[in-house]
Amino acid sequence: MPESTARRPRRHGGAITDVAGIEVGHFTDARRPTGCSVVLTRAGAVAGVDVRGAAPGTRETDLLAPENLVDRVHAITLAGGSAWGLDAASGVMRWLEERGVGFDVRVGRLPIVPAAVLFDILVGDAAIRPDAAAGYAACEAASTRRPAEGNVGAGAGAAVGKIFGIDRAMKGGIGTASVTVDGVTVGALIACNALGDVVDPDTAQVIAGARTPNGNKLFDTRRALLRGVAPKPLLAGTNTTIGVIATDAVITKVQARKLAQMAHDGLARSINPVHTMSDGDTLFSLGTGASGKTLGMMTLGTLFAEATARAVVNAVRAAQGLRIGALHLPSAADLAAAR
């Protein structure tokens, strides 16, 4: 299924697991390209969320509003499978409950596990999607090691650049990166299944996305739309970039919400167009407080956006090309090698 690829450009360094208190695990379904990824914070972490896409698939996001009661979560689940994939979070809850992790409700421990999903069911058999067993398996695989990137977990069936049809799209994936300033680390894990193109913010060059009609080159969606090229009719919600940005800084729940908002600046720098009517772009923020420090919101917000943009770029640079049936999704490395 994955094609051999040429030498890849150097990816950004670091990982979300550089943040103390964070573990990551993937489950990738062997039957078709789909899966789920879990970010565990067993000791609990202050959390926030910001949903910018118009077609989200989410679970337990209302409780993250600053005015609501619960101020800590124990995991975040990212999954393929569209709304069906939200079932993966049930398996994460079961895994945590078995280990005594959760919010004390006197009669037991209730794990708080928000989740978001992306639409990957055009790739292979749509009846196969992440379920509770997949979420449980992702937890079993979790560790503090650098997570695998590309065609794994929630990024297994991801594609980017579908605005002119999936037959002209490219392979998306999942990526991670981190940034450290003055003893405070911010790391991101992003599953990129965007409608738009992925752009390297450092060079402003499109690196993956919609291809020309012959499929051999990048089309550059932004410039094509500005020329008046019409997109294909789109089914709402058939895309979406989702992710988690974590820090070991000490933050409040109000700050967590604001940092999730600022992290979307990283999506805007690395995906174009972004936050569309056919995307459910959702980013979660986590603060473990393990460093005992804070940098102030100006610097933290900058780091959240930077880690997000770098993780998006890593997601498509780590991806491998995919052939499944008549569908061909080349990777960024495939197109670069063909030039």
Side-chain angles (χ1 to χ4, degrees):
M1 297 230 304
E3 300 178 329
S4 61
T5 55
R7 183 179 177 185
R8 303 178 190 281
R10 185 177 66 84
R11 302 202 294 270
H12 294 289
I16 191 171
T17 48
D18 294 335
V19 176
I22 296 294
E23 301 169 67
V24 173
H26 298 305
F27 169 80
T28 307
D29 201 311
R31 297 171 296 170
R32 86 159 178 97
T34 192
C36 61
S37 302
V38 62
V39 177
L40 296 177
T41 172
R42 300 194 206 200
V46 176
V49 67
D50 190 47
V51 181
R52 295 285 176 95
T58 58
R59 165 176 165 155
E60 295 276 47
T61 51
D62 283 352
L63 63 80
L64 300 183
E67 68 273 17
N68 289 340
L69 175 66
V70 173
D71 64 351
R72 288 184 172 266
V73 304
H74 305 97
I76 303 289
T77 305
L78 309 176
S82 191
W84 288 292
L86 290 171
D87 191 33
S90 298
V92 178
M93 287 187 70
R94 180 165 63 88
W95 189 90
L96 289 167
E97 182 186 14
E98 289 175 359
R99 286 151 182 81
V101 175
F103 185 63
D104 186 359
V105 291
R106 295 187 181 180
V107 294
R109 291 276 178 176
L110 177 63
I112 307 298
V113 184
V117 293
L118 55 79
F119 186 101
D120 62 2
I121 56 177
L122 297 179
V123 182
D125 184 352
I128 298 171
R129 53 255 183 173
D131 56 13
Y136 193 97
C139 292
E140 289 281 271
S143 77
T144 57
R145 296 188 300 272
R146 180 184 178 89
E149 297 174 284
N151 300 25
V152 296
V160 297
K162 289 162 279 186
I163 196 165
F164 302 109
I166 195 166
D167 57 314
R168 288 170 58 184
M170 293 177 63
K171 189 68 184 71
I174 195 164
T176 189
S178 70
V179 188
T180 300
V181 171
D182 291 340
V184 167
T185 298
V186 173
L189 181 75
I190 306 292
C192 184
N193 185 55
L195 176 72
D197 295 343
V198 174
V199 180
D200 186 337
D202 291 334
T203 65
Q205 297 299 306
V206 177
I207 55 177
R211 291 174 287 148
T212 53
N214 66 12
N216 295 331
K217 296 180 180 178
L218 290 162
F219 196 48
D220 196 328
T221 295
R222 179 177 68 90
R223 288 184 170 86
L225 293 174
L226 291 173
R227 290 195 305 270
V229 179
K232 279 199 170 184
L234 301 167
L235 179 64
T238 52
N239 304 281
T240 299
T241 296
I242 52 179
V244 180
I245 305 89
T247 182
D248 54 14
V250 177
I251 59 173
T252 67
K253 194 176 180 184
V254 171
Q255 289 172 326
R257 162 63 80 72
K258 187 60 181 177
L259 290 168
Q261 293 173 351
M262 297 175 81
H264 276 278
D265 294 346
L267 293 190
R269 294 173 198 160
S270 57
I271 301 172
N272 198 331
V274 71
H275 305 142
T276 75
M277 295 299 291
S278 292
D279 286 288
D281 302 328
T282 301
L283 295 179
F284 297 94
S285 60
L286 295 175
T288 68
S291 72
K293 302 178 180 179
T294 188
L295 296 177
M297 289 296 289
M298 183 68 72
T299 302
L300 274 177
T302 300
L303 298 184
F304 266 64
E306 183 67 19
T308 298
R310 292 184 183 188
V312 169
V313 170
N314 283 352
V316 296
R317 285 188 169 155
Q320 294 179 302
L322 179 71
R323 287 187 186 272
I324 182 165
L327 179 64
H328 177 213
L329 298 172
S331 68
D334 293 335
L335 249 62
R339 289 174 193 157

